[in-house]
């Protein structure tokens, strides 16, 4: 069983572990100043004085602690002047084993980058007073809808295995643009779209990788349990989504605005956004696909029109079917 962090959850935020490279010279505080040059010097000094930077055993790091003395340190992340996201997260269900929330657009699932307090996880930890709460899966910051959390470490693994073994049925909705002539494209629904998606660490968007026609029928098997992934190269599609038309409205230019239902059979990064963009039906207000737009402040009047509308599974503790449905809607749906 992994060791617990040496610092407790504080204001809904757990401590972050930072690795100190073995070749680092000087003191730990000198390393931190060089690595986090954007932080005011007095901010690091104050954290040291408050005992908020500690070693693996919880002993405070001092201004003179040599970097060579420790492989890891722990500290609390914080963001100065963090932007408030003006939308509430709704709790749809809560018991001793499961918390189900309805996340708004623009709210991240977990802390990262410029968001710490303004995340679904931290808001719910504070709102419900459950410091042990952790997410069982994630949604993109731009996507709204159903999110599951575990408040109980004793039963957490049973629910995590549902996602690992692909035993959770997910339903999404999206609003897309259909080019002219719209009817030509609308007639092909329902359909199943498959391709191969590759995500490279450090690159914000995922990429589509080509494969031979002979490999088009092969779908990679999911990783089960603790079985190690093979390092042998794989071929063929690794992402599959069923897409159905719900409603549409023909526009003056001969195109259309369409409301579609999505049933992903796999869970690749940005899968739904990539699949719809690859069909020529990009999701309304998508700033990543089919073209990555320049970074801009959030436009709360134009949220990405993608909603995790429902989620279902057989409860591993009771054996009973469970179904949760979002109360949110897509503002631009026809």
């Amino acid at each position: 069983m992994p060791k617990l962090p040496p610092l407790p959850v504080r204001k809904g935020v757990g401590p972050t572990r930072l690795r100190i490279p073995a070749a680092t010279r000087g003191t730990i505080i000198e390393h931190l100043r060089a690595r986090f040059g954007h932080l005011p010097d007095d901010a690091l000094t104050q954290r040291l004085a408050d005992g908020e930077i500690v070693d693996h055993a919880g002993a405070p790091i001092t201004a003179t602690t040599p970097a060579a003395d420790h492989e890891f340190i722990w500290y609390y992340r914080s963001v100065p002047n963090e932007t408030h996201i003006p939308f509430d997260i709704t709790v749809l269900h809560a018991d001793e084993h499961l918390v189900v929330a309805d996340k708004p657009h623009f709210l991240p699932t977990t802390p990262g980058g410029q968001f710490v307090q303004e995340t679904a996880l931290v808001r719910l930890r504070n709102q419900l007073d459950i410091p042990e709460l952790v997410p069982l899966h994630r949604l993109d910051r731009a996507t709204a809808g159903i999110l599951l959390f575990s408040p109980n470490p004793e039963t957490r693994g049973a629910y995590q295995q549902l996602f690992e073994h692909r035993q959770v049925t997910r339903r999404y909705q999206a609003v897309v643009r259909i080019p002219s002539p719209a009817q030509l494209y609308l007639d092909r629904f329902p359909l199943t779209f498959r391709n191969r998606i590759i995500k490279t660490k450090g690159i914000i968007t995922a990429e589509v990788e080509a494969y031979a026609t002979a490999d088009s029928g092969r779908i990679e098997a999911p990783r089960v349990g603790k079985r190690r992934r093979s390092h042998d190269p794989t071929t063929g599609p690794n992402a599959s989504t069923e897409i159905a038309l719900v409603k549409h409205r023909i526009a003056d230019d001969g195109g259309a605005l369409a409301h579609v239902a999505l049933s992903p059979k796999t869970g690749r990064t940005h899968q739904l956004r990539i699949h719809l963009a690859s069909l020529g039906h990009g999701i309304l207000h998508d700033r990543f696909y089919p073209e990555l737009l320049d970074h801009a402040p959030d436009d709360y009047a134009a949220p990405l029109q993608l909603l995790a509308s429902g989620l279902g599974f057989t409860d591993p503790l009771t054996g009973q079917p469970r179904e949760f449905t979002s109360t949110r809607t897509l503002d631009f749906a026809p």
Side-chain angles (χ1 to χ4, degrees):
M1 185 174 181
K3 293 181 65 175
L4 294 175
L7 293 172
V9 172
R10 186 185 70 174
K11 297 180 180 178
V13 180
T16 296
R17 189 178 76 161
L18 178 69
R19 183 183 183 91
I20 306 297
T24 303
R25 297 180 180 275
T27 66
I28 286 180
I29 190 64
E30 288 171 339
H31 172 70
L32 294 178
R33 284 175 178 149
R35 177 160 180 167
F36 303 111
H38 61 285
L39 292 178
D41 188 65
D42 58 349
L44 285 174
T45 302
Q46 188 61 52
R47 288 189 186 187
L48 287 176
D50 293 341
E52 293 185 355
I53 305 176
V54 304
D55 65 14
H56 70 281
I61 298 297
T62 70
T64 59
T65 302
D69 284 2
H70 300 285
E71 183 181 3
F72 297 100
I73 61 170
W74 294 81
Y75 68 98
Y76 291 109
R77 285 192 72 247
S78 63
V79 177
N81 305 315
E82 186 172 352
T83 301
H84 174 63
I85 297 173
F87 305 104
D88 293 330
I89 185 168
T90 305
V91 175
L92 300 180
H93 170 86
D95 61 36
E96 62 178 316
H97 304 295
L98 198 63
V99 172
V100 182
D102 207 354
K103 185 183 85 68
H105 295 285
F106 302 105
L107 188 70
T109 299
T110 56
Q114 61 182 311
F115 299 101
V116 176
Q117 290 292 326
E118 293 299 306
T119 60
L121 175 61
V122 175
R123 282 193 184 182
L124 289 175
R125 279 178 174 174
N126 292 329
Q127 177 182 331
L128 302 175
D129 193 23
I130 306 176
E132 300 84 7
L133 195 71
V134 299
L136 291 168
H137 62 115
R138 285 168 172 76
L139 291 177
D140 289 342
R141 187 170 87 87
T143 305
I146 297 293
L147 261 177
L148 266 57
F149 295 82
S150 166
N152 189 338
E154 298 298 322
T155 59
R156 184 168 299 153
Y159 291 100
Q160 289 172 329
Q161 286 187 22
L162 292 176
F163 289 91
E164 188 171 346
H165 296 175
R166 296 184 184 176
Q167 294 173 340
V168 177
T169 301
R170 304 193 205 192
R171 302 187 308 279
Y172 289 78
Q173 297 177 20
V175 178
V176 301
R177 290 195 181 279
I178 306 292
S180 178
Q183 201 58 51
L184 177 66
Y185 297 99
L186 294 170
D187 286 344
R188 62 182 178 177
F189 293 108
L191 60 84
T192 298
F193 190 91
R194 296 188 297 177
N195 68 354
R196 183 171 182 80
I197 297 173
I198 303 298
K199 180 68 171 68
T200 303
K201 187 175 181 179
I203 299 177
I204 193 170
T205 54
E207 296 180 320
V208 175
E209 186 177 86
Y211 49 84
T213 303
D215 297 324
S216 61
R218 303 176 184 174
I219 290 285
E220 289 181 13
R223 177 173 178 260
V224 177
K226 296 185 179 295
R227 177 172 62 84
R228 289 190 176 186
R229 294 183 186 275
S230 170
H231 293 288
D232 296 334
T234 58
T235 58
N238 61 6
S240 177
T241 305
E242 294 179 358
I243 309 172
L245 180 65
V246 178
K247 293 180 181 178
H248 72 279
R249 181 176 68 244
I250 302 296
D252 293 339
D253 62 0
L257 200 64
H259 185 186
V260 295
L262 308 162
S263 298
K265 303 307 175 186
T266 53
R268 298 290 169 175
T269 300
H270 297 166
Q271 176 176 317
L272 302 180
R273 299 164 74 170
I274 291 173
H275 282 182
L276 288 168
S278 297
L279 285 168
H281 311 326
I283 299 178
L284 201 64
H285 306 148
D286 193 342
R287 299 188 59 82
F288 283 18
Y289 306 97
E291 179 185 0
L292 179 62
L293 303 181
D294 291 338
H295 177 73
D298 289 334
D299 182 355
Y300 294 142
L304 176 73
Q305 292 298 280
L306 179 61
L307 173 68
S309 57
L311 188 151
F313 56 90
T314 298
D315 193 291
L317 304 183
T318 66
Q320 297 300 309
R322 304 191 77 170
E323 191 81 25
F324 299 101
T325 301
S326 173
T327 60
R328 301 182 186 276
T329 57
L330 295 171
D331 295 339
F332 292 81

